[in-house]
Amino acid sequence: MSSRNNKSILDLLSLEKNKIDSLFSTADKIAKGELSLDSKGFGKTGALLFFEASTRTRMSFETACARLGIHPLLLDGKSGTSLEKGETLEDTVLNVDAMKPEFLVIRCGDDLDLKSLSQKVQSPILNAGWGKKGHPTQALLDAYTIRRNLGSCDGKKVLIVGDIRHSRVAASHFELSQKLGYEVALCGPQDFLPENPPVRVFSRLAEGLAWADAAMALRVQLERHAVKYSLQDYRDQYGFTVKNLKHLSSHALIMHPGPINQGTELDSEVLQDSRSRILEQVSNGVLIRQSLIHGIISGGF
Ligand code: CP
C-alpha cells in the first residue's frame, strides 16, 4: 500500500522551525477566539489509540477534536479490543487506518516501531508519548507555555529536574531546544541522569534553580527502576518543596508535565505558588493539539 504520509510527527528534529512558529501562532489565535473552527471537522474522524495509560494527553486530544467538530475514535487500553485475542499492535493500527481517519494519535511503548509503521499507513501518525523515545506534543505545549509567559523561548534557560534517563519529555526537549533556541540543563541523582548527558548538569539543585528561567520537575518513574535511596532523601535534595524553591527567581516558572507524585518530586503547596504554570500547561496542551489538528485537516501542516 502506498503511503501519502509524510506528515507524521514522531519527533521534533524533523519538524521545521517555521511549522512550529505557525503552530504557536494558530494556538494564539484559537486562544483569542480569532480562528473560525466550526464545521471544518464535520463528518471527519480522528483515531486516538492509547495502548498505554494517559489522562492529560488523551483527554486534551479528545477536547481538541470536539472543539474542531471531529469525531474521536477512541481505543483506550487493550481491554475489550481484539488485542486480547492475540491481534498485534501493528495490525490494530493498520486496521484502524483502513477506516480512513484524518490522523492516528498513538501512545505506545518502545515495542511498537512507529517509524516503520508511518511508512505503511495512509493517515499521519501523531506521537502522543512513545516509550522513552519522545513526547513531542508535550514539549511543544511546554515551550508554548514558556513563550506565553516569558515572551519567547529564545535564550531562555530551562532546568529539568529528576528522572531524566527514563523521560520521553526530556528527550523531546533536547530536540525542541535546538529548534527554538532555549538552553536546557539537568539536575538529578546520578542514577537518573543519561549516561552521556547532552547538556549541562547541575550537581546542586540550588544552583540550577538560581540559573533557571523555568524549572521543570519530572515524575519519578518508580515502576521503571529501583530507587537506591529513600524517597524522603530524594525530596530533600531534588524535590520542588517550598524550601528548595526559595532559590528560584520570583519571575521564573514552575512546571511539571504530570502526573505528579505529590510529596516526592513536588509538594502539594507548590501547586499554589504564584510561579506555578502546571495547570496552564494542561490548558495550553488543548490549544497546541487543536492547532496541530487544525493544520492537518486544513492542509496547512
Ligand atoms: N503529560 C502526560 O503525558 O500526561 P498523561 O500521561 O496523563 O497523558
Side-chain angles (χ1 to χ4, degrees), residues 40-81:
K40 271 226 166 8
F42 182 74
K44 294 180 172 157
T45 59
L48 311 184
L49 307 180
F50 280 75
F51 299 121
E52 292 195 341
S54 168
T55 298
R56 279 147 290 274
T57 313
R58 177 173 61 73
M59 295 191 74
S60 63
F61 268 112
E62 282 185 272
T63 306
C65 286
R67 290 189 180 159
L68 291 164
I70 294 175
H71 186 80
L73 305 172
L74 179 62
L75 195 155
D76 187 13
K78 298 175 184 176
S79 172
T81 75

Side-chain angles (χ1 to χ4, degrees), residues 87-108:
E87 185 166 57
T88 64
L89 291 174
E90 177 164 318
D91 252 4
T92 300
V93 175
L94 292 174
N95 277 269
V96 174
D97 181 58
M99 299 175 201
K100 304 196 189 315
E102 297 301 308
F103 50 83
L104 299 151
V105 173
I106 301 181
R107 169 164 293 191
C108 60

Side-chain angles (χ1 to χ4, degrees), residues 8-300:
S8 289
I9 298 179
L10 305 183
D11 61 71
L12 290 168
L13 280 181
S14 43
L15 192 60
E16 295 93 338
K17 165 90 166 57
N18 66 332
K19 290 203 170 148
I20 298 169
D21 291 340
S22 154
L23 189 72
F24 287 0
S25 304
T26 304
D28 286 341
K29 285 186 192 148
I30 296 170
K32 290 182 201 154
E34 291 173 0
L35 200 71
S36 169
L37 300 171
D38 297 343
S39 78
K40 271 226 166 8
F42 182 74
K44 294 180 172 157
T45 59
L48 311 184
L49 307 180
F50 280 75
F51 299 121
E52 292 195 341
S54 168
T55 298
R56 279 147 290 274
T57 313
R58 177 173 61 73
M59 295 191 74
S60 63
F61 268 112
E62 282 185 272
T63 306
C65 286
R67 290 189 180 159
L68 291 164
I70 294 175
H71 186 80
L73 305 172
L74 179 62
L75 195 155
D76 187 13
K78 298 175 184 176
S79 172
T81 75
S82 290
L83 289 160
E84 290 191 317
K85 301 179 203 164
E87 185 166 57
T88 64
L89 291 174
E90 177 164 318
D91 252 4
T92 300
V93 175
L94 292 174
N95 277 269
V96 174
D97 181 58
M99 299 175 201
K100 304 196 189 315
E102 297 301 308
F103 50 83
L104 299 151
V105 173
I106 301 181
R107 169 164 293 191
C108 60
D110 289 307
D111 52 332
L112 188 60
D113 185 349
L114 289 186
K115 204 163 182 184
S116 79
L117 198 50
S118 71
Q119 300 306 310
K120 298 176 188 170
V121 291
Q122 295 292 297
S123 305
I125 294 177
L126 308 181
N127 171 358
W130 177 16
K132 294 195 285 296
K133 290 189 174 63
H135 193 351
T137 60
Q138 179 68 46
L140 287 165
L141 75 87
D142 293 341
Y144 181 68
T145 302
I146 292 168
R147 173 183 172 276
R148 283 193 86 164
N149 282 278
L150 303 179
S152 161
C153 290
D154 192 32
K156 299 297 181 297
K157 296 171 183 160
V158 178
L159 181 72
I160 303 183
V161 180
D163 196 354
I164 296 137
R165 189 181 293 186
H166 301 96
S167 173
R168 55 191 173 210
V169 177
S172 287
H173 276 292
F174 294 148
E175 296 178 355
L176 189 59
S177 57
Q178 296 177 46
K179 299 277 169 170
L180 298 184
Y182 57 96
E183 186 180 351
V184 173
L186 310 177
C187 182
Q190 198 61 39
D191 286 356
F192 285 10
L193 295 174
E195 274 168 30
N196 298 302
V199 296
R200 178 176 183 181
V201 174
F202 285 95
S203 52
R204 293 188 58 242
L205 180 62
E207 285 168 16
L209 290 174
W211 168 87
D213 296 306
M216 185 183 302
L218 297 179
R219 184 173 73 89
V220 176
Q221 300 189 41
L222 298 169
E223 71 280 14
R224 292 205 196 260
H225 55 174
V227 180
K228 297 200 173 100
Y229 39 81
S230 78
L231 291 179
Q232 185 60 45
D233 286 349
Y234 180 87
R235 176 179 172 272
D236 292 345
Q237 284 188 58
Y238 302 104
F240 281 26
T241 59
V242 171
K243 184 176 165 204
N244 286 341
L245 287 170
K246 289 200 171 115
H247 298 281
L248 184 69
S249 142
S250 57
H251 305 294
L253 312 179
I254 297 169
M255 303 175 75
H256 192 306
I260 300 171
N261 293 312
Q262 289 189 18
T264 300
E265 73 265 4
L266 191 141
D267 279 3
S268 56
E269 299 94 303
V270 172
L271 296 170
Q272 314 308 325
D273 190 305
S274 60
R275 297 166 294 180
S276 171
R277 294 296 180 276
I278 294 170
L279 288 180
E280 186 187 326
Q281 286 174 265
V282 179
S283 303
N284 290 340
V286 176
L287 293 176
I288 286 296
R289 287 158 183 144
Q290 239 179 296
S291 172
L292 191 56
I293 294 171
H294 179 268
I296 290 168
I297 61 172
S298 58

